[in-house]
Amino acid sequence: MEDNKIREAVQFLSEGDKATRKGWFKKPEWDVAGQNYEKAASCFKAARSYDQAIQAYQKASDALFKSDSLYMAAKTMESAANLAAQQLKQPERASEMYKKASDLYQAHMTPDRAGEMLEKAARALEPVSVDGAIDYYVAACNLFESEDRGRFAVDTFKKTIAIMIKNKRYAEAVDIMHRLSKIYLGINHQQGLNKTYLSIIITLLALEDEVEAKKQFQLFCQNAFIQSEESAISSSLLDAFEQGDQDLLDQVVRRPIVTYLDNNVAKLSREIQVPGGLSKPPPTTYIPPPKPITSNNDRLQGHEQKNDFPIYNQHQNDSYFLHNQEQKGNLNDYAEKKSNSLHDQLQKNDKRLPDENAPYNISDKAEVLPTGDQIHLPSSTTPVPPSHSNSNQNTSIEEDNGELC
């Protein structure tokens, strides 16, 4: 089937070539040639011969242009660019053909389609050349502005801003934002204007141009922007920069108004750092010191009671553990013997007789005898202190050979 399509395409090409020839009495029929070339391109495309199809589309575009059919010439060139971008994966070649299609649409006085072709050229070239893609995006924005078609170019402006911020070309992005704000003013779109103003402030702060951000904020506050939430957030951002408070800045950029901005602008806001700003240290938590362990025995007994010391229970039969247990038993026996010896010593001290030279009271040695008996004292009696004598007593003590009458 593919071979048949290719043979059919070749036949259409030959017919198209015949239509472009001129003779003595014959002029070139560019419109007929363009139609044949377009048919040949369709056959090549069906046969998956994309390079030949692109060449046939280009021939058809040239023939249609010469026949003053600008719109169809632009359309066939767009078809060739689509094949180069989608099937052959040739972004440079595709971008050039999109640019030609844009020129043809603009010549046909269709600026919307012309701008769309420039945007397609930028998207095709973006993976291989960011600078070339930005140039095409800016060219599309210029085209919409020159033709006073700004209301149809809002998405194109946003895409241009996005790719510029993504590639850290902030100054150019601010310029495009100012142009977008004028479009919003022209169409009386206050919500879009407020978001654009906030995006400008964020981008200028990302450039660390605090002075310019304050100037722009004062200019923006001359209209209804001052009553919006975006204005309050802009003021908070400027305050954070002025105070050098990174924590305040981080809190502000987490608010929903900022997160609802375009993705690249919202991401940029979270990357802003206050020059020389200091974050507050995180609160410290008090960790109490561990409780002291009095002895290993207490610790082991506590774990045995709670039954939450599996390692101890597991190693009870280990030699090291048994050796420790033997030592503990020996120590206990020694302590018991020591205690018994001390107890015996105390009992012996209690039974020991008092020293002969030690003083004692008569009442401690005297015996109470019946009446008429005599009390015998040792031969060496201790003299009674004077305090024990009483001159008024009727009892007389006489010492006669150691006897007391």
Side-chain angles (χ1 to χ4, degrees):
M1 180 179 178
E2 293 180 357
D3 295 338
N4 294 332
K5 286 293 183 181
I6 290 176
R7 284 195 292 269
E8 186 178 355
V10 171
Q11 184 177 359
F12 283 124
L13 283 177
S14 61
E15 291 179 0
D17 292 338
K18 290 179 182 179
T20 59
R21 296 170 186 171
K22 62 180 179 180
W24 292 99
F25 303 101
K26 180 179 176 294
K27 293 181 180 181
E29 298 177 349
W30 295 111
D31 53 347
V32 176
Q35 292 175 5
N36 289 319
Y37 288 143
E38 191 173 359
K39 290 178 182 178
S42 299
C43 293
F44 282 127
K45 183 179 178 181
R48 297 183 180 180
S49 181
Y50 300 117
D51 189 67
Q52 291 178 321
I54 290 173
Q55 295 176 6
Y57 276 129
Q58 288 176 335
K59 285 186 176 182
S61 178
D62 293 338
L64 293 172
F65 175 76
K66 292 178 181 179
S67 66
D68 294 333
S69 181
L70 299 178
Y71 183 83
M72 292 304 300
K75 191 172 181 63
T76 53
M77 186 61 68
E78 181 184 356
S79 299
N82 290 335
L83 287 178
Q86 298 173 6
Q87 303 299 332
L88 298 181
K89 307 298 181 183
Q90 298 175 350
E92 294 88 351
R93 186 181 181 186
S95 63
E96 292 177 359
M97 288 186 284
Y98 279 128
K99 180 65 171 63
K100 291 180 180 178
S102 175
D103 295 338
L104 292 172
Y105 279 123
Q106 190 172 359
H108 187 257
M109 302 300 294
T110 52
D112 297 340
R113 293 285 293 172
E116 184 181 350
M117 292 301 103
L118 291 175
E119 189 177 342
K120 284 186 175 182
R123 286 202 301 269
L125 201 59
E126 185 175 352
V128 295
S129 177
V130 175
D131 295 336
I134 291 176
D135 292 340
Y136 279 124
Y137 274 121
V138 174
C141 294
N142 295 337
L143 177 62
F144 282 119
E145 281 184 328
S146 62
E147 296 294 335
D148 196 16
R149 306 289 291 180
R151 67 181 63 192
F152 301 102
V154 172
D155 291 338
T156 304
F157 274 89
K158 288 183 177 180
K159 292 176 183 177
T160 307
I161 294 168
I163 189 174
M164 287 179 174
I165 292 178
K166 184 178 179 180
N167 293 277
K168 301 185 182 302
R169 299 173 68 166
Y170 302 138
E172 299 178 24
V174 170
D175 181 62
I176 299 297
M177 289 178 189
H178 280 293
R179 293 165 64 178
L180 179 60
S181 65
K182 293 179 181 178
I183 294 175
Y184 281 131
L185 282 172
I187 62 178
N188 196 18
H189 195 301
Q190 188 62 40
Q191 184 177 1
L193 181 64
N194 295 338
K195 289 184 177 181
T196 304
Y197 284 162
L198 178 57
S199 300
I200 292 173
I201 299 298
I202 291 174
T203 309
L204 288 173
L205 293 178
L207 282 170
E208 297 184 0
D209 193 351
E210 182 182 355
V211 176
E212 184 63 23
K214 289 181 179 180
K215 291 181 180 179
Q216 295 297 327
F217 177 70
Q218 292 175 359
L219 292 175
F220 298 157
C221 289
Q222 295 178 1
N223 54 29
F225 174 71
I226 195 173
Q227 301 175 356
S228 64
E229 295 182 8
E230 289 81 359
S231 175
I233 292 176
S234 300
S235 179
S236 299
L237 291 174
L238 294 173
D239 291 341
F241 258 71
E242 184 176 358
Q243 299 171 8
D245 192 346
Q246 183 66 41
D247 293 334
L248 176 60
L249 180 67
D250 294 338
Q251 292 177 3
V252 173
V253 298
R254 294 193 197 100
R255 295 182 183 177
I257 297 298
V258 180
T259 57
Y260 291 158
L261 296 174
D262 294 336
N263 292 333
N264 290 277
V265 178
K267 184 178 179 180
L268 177 63
S269 66
R270 295 190 291 269
E271 297 175 356
I272 297 176
Q273 296 293 326
V274 176
L278 298 176
S279 300
K280 296 181 180 179
T284 57
T285 56
Y286 173 74
I287 300 176
K291 296 181 179 180
I293 299 175
T294 56
S295 65
N296 292 331
N297 294 333
D298 296 339
R299 181 171 62 87
L300 295 176
Q301 290 174 3
H303 283 295
E304 288 177 352
Q305 291 175 1
K306 295 180 181 178
N307 197 18
D308 59 352
F309 195 28
I311 297 177
Y312 170 70
N313 296 329
Q314 180 180 358
H315 296 287
Q316 282 185 349
N317 297 325
D318 293 347
S319 61
Y320 179 74
F321 180 82
L322 294 175
H323 178 67
N324 290 339
Q325 291 294 101
E326 292 176 359
Q327 289 183 351
K328 292 176 185 176
N330 296 332
L331 290 174
N332 292 333
D333 295 340
Y334 174 77
E336 186 177 356
K337 290 179 180 179
K338 188 71 175 176
S339 177
N340 294 334
S341 63
L342 291 175
H343 183 70
D344 295 339
Q345 187 68 25
L346 291 174
Q347 288 180 351
K348 289 179 181 180
N349 292 336
D350 293 339
K351 295 179 181 180
R352 183 181 300 174
L353 293 174
D355 192 0
E356 295 179 354
N357 297 325
Y360 63 91
N361 296 328
I362 296 175
S363 60
D364 295 335
K365 295 295 180 178
E367 274 184 12
V368 179
L369 298 176
T371 306
D373 294 339
Q374 295 179 349
I375 298 174
H376 298 278
L377 295 175
S379 59
S380 60
T381 58
T382 302
V384 178
S387 59
H388 291 271
S389 63
N390 189 354
S391 60
N392 296 327
Q393 294 179 354
N394 295 323
T395 306
S396 62
I397 301 174
E398 296 180 359
E399 183 177 358
D400 183 15
N401 295 327
E403 293 182 357
L404 180 62
C405 294

